[in-house]
Amino acid sequence: MSLSPAFSETSFDRLPGWADDDHLAAFAAFRRSAFHVLTKPYRSGALGVDFAAFAAAYDEARAVSPPNRSESRSFFERHFVPARIDAENGGAGLVTGFYEPEVEASPVRTERFSVPLLSRPADLVDIDDANRPAGMDPYIAFARDTRNGPIEYFDRGAIERGALGGKGLEIAWLADKVDAFFAHVQGAARLKMTDGRLCRVTYAAKSGQRFTGPGMILSESGEIALEKVTMQSIRAWLKAHPDRVDEILWQNRSYIFFREAAVDDASLGPIAAAKVPLTAGRSIAVDRLLHTFGTPFHIDAPSLTAFDAKPFRRLMIAQDTGSAITGPARGDLFAGSGGAAGEIAGVVRNAADFYALLPRPLVSGTAP
């Protein structure tokens, strides 16, 4: 496997903000991946960052826990070489934000709590090139199992009108349809149950259709100017137009199914695609077809100040993905859990330069 020409090697002293970052926080996130891969290695991405090349870095990360930022910085400089990643259009890359919503929920349906979060249905099957029927959209990775073979699954509108009613799939009930929708968008939620428990739901599967964001719908229809589209502006519009909520949300035909998960550490986010808990401000979702989970990325987004009121220049670890995250210089920054994190994530849409930290065994002539 050879490295893609999209990578342009550089040096750590040329990374904007590298010396000022908290590398200890990034190391903690990297170390979680180091332990996970003992049970299941990550798949190597198409850009040529071979998972096997991380072996020495993972071995040391499991064996030691640096006590400060300086030693953590030395760890990354010892095991990796930075390389700028060119965006597909030749310009800057793009970062957006995501978070784990925290909402009130009930274990049973009540007059107030009437919007369900559903578990995976028994008739939902995985689809790939081996069992995809002729003519089915090659994007679709899930379908409905029938006697005559797989067919497209019920979409959001059909499910919310009751297509899966009576099957006992309800995990919990929310009070607001828009809250449920944004739990779907984020792929996870913390649930403050009416019986006092703190629970979590995370992504289990989806109906299979393509995602269509309400922001684009509202922008294209002239309801919200594109430059003003944020999670906050979308929520405000939907609150002001309750009679049009279904009209807008059902245009996103994709529907998410969840599974229950424990909240073992309230300071960490949900377990995501890389099978480790996400770390606020240190985990990034990337295009998993191109990149290899566990790869450290230094992100330089000087116009982004929502995280801590200063230009965003941080080392992040690739630990999630998403259907809207496509391209070599495209990422989704995990902001954390709860309302404050949502306020950050909802406004992030910024140009950014991406620098991948490549394992030294992949780069010739780079002995530390």
Side-chain angles (χ1 to χ4, degrees):
M1 177 177 286
S2 59
L3 281 172
S4 166
F7 295 116
S8 302
E9 290 178 38
T10 184
S11 60
F12 284 103
D13 59 10
R14 299 184 67 180
L15 298 186
W18 174 257
D20 300 322
D21 193 19
D22 181 0
H23 300 94
L24 181 59
F27 178 85
F30 181 82
R31 194 166 190 252
R32 293 186 185 96
S33 283
F35 280 102
H36 167 73
V37 299
L38 288 173
T39 57
K40 187 173 182 179
Y42 293 137
R43 180 178 63 189
S44 299
L47 294 183
V49 179
D50 188 354
F51 166 78
F54 287 85
Y58 280 150
D59 285 345
E60 183 175 333
R62 288 190 293 266
V64 303
S65 182
N68 55 47
R69 297 183 182 187
S70 176
E71 292 190 17
S72 298
R73 173 182 170 181
S74 295
F75 168 86
F76 288 109
E77 292 179 351
R78 191 163 57 251
H79 286 285
F80 297 95
V81 175
R84 181 186 168 93
I85 306 172
D86 296 328
E88 290 175 315
N89 60 7
L94 174 68
V95 290
T96 49
F98 73 111
Y99 77 112
E100 180 185 39
E102 186 172 278
V103 293
E104 286 188 276
S106 171
V108 296
R109 181 170 185 163
T110 68
E111 183 176 351
R112 178 187 173 199
F113 294 96
S114 61
V115 182
L117 299 178
L118 302 181
S119 60
R120 178 172 178 156
D123 62 351
L124 183 71
V125 294
D126 292 6
I127 292 292
D128 56 27
D129 291 341
N131 64 345
R132 188 186 313 281
M136 179 175 280
D137 184 345
Y139 171 86
I140 291 178
F142 297 92
R144 183 157 63 100
D145 191 25
T146 73
R147 291 181 178 179
N148 297 320
I151 62 173
E152 183 177 324
Y153 208 78
F154 301 115
D155 67 4
R156 175 174 298 277
I159 292 171
E160 293 192 355
R161 288 191 296 267
L164 297 179
K167 295 184 180 294
L169 301 175
E170 297 84 3
I171 297 174
W173 301 83
L174 306 189
D176 184 75
K177 180 175 288 189
V178 175
D179 283 343
F181 180 84
F182 279 101
H184 284 221
V185 171
Q186 303 301 325
R190 277 189 202 186
L191 307 181
K192 298 171 66 176
M193 305 298 287
T194 54
D195 58 12
R197 292 177 296 135
L198 180 63
C199 302
R200 168 177 278 148
V201 290
T202 62
Y203 171 91
K206 60 183 179 179
S207 57
Q209 296 85 0
R210 295 175 187 271
F211 174 84
T212 304
M216 186 60 66
I217 295 167
L218 293 170
S219 172
E220 291 179 347
S221 62
E223 297 291 344
I224 304 176
L226 180 59
E227 65 273 14
K228 295 184 177 179
V229 170
T230 63
M231 183 183 70
Q232 290 87 336
S233 67
I234 295 168
R235 279 185 172 274
W237 190 94
L238 293 171
K239 185 175 182 179
H241 301 83
D243 57 321
R244 297 185 64 188
V245 169
D246 288 343
E247 171 199 337
I248 300 301
L249 299 189
W250 287 355
Q251 290 185 60
N252 174 36
R253 300 181 63 219
S254 177
Y255 188 93
I256 303 300
F257 300 103
F258 296 97
R259 61 179 178 83
E260 296 181 74
V263 184
D264 295 322
D265 185 340
S267 69
L268 296 175
I271 294 176
K275 305 305 180 186
V276 296
L278 298 177
T279 303
R282 294 294 165 177
S283 294
I284 186 172
V286 296
D287 187 335
R288 71 179 304 175
L289 296 180
L290 299 180
H291 295 297
T292 304
F293 282 155
T295 301
F297 287 87
H298 183 75
I299 305 298
D300 176 28
S303 67
L304 172 56
T305 58
F307 276 78
D308 53 12
K310 61 183 181 181
F312 189 94
R313 293 183 168 111
R314 291 192 187 185
L315 184 61
M316 311 287 288
I317 310 300
Q319 294 178 321
D320 201 4
T321 191
S323 58
I325 311 304
T326 58
R330 176 74 174 89
D332 212 12
L333 311 175
F334 180 63
S337 304
E343 290 299 309
I344 295 171
V347 299
V348 178
R349 188 175 182 84
N350 298 79
D353 288 330
F354 282 63
Y355 299 88
L357 269 58
L358 304 177
R360 285 190 178 272
L362 292 180
V363 185
S364 60
T366 59

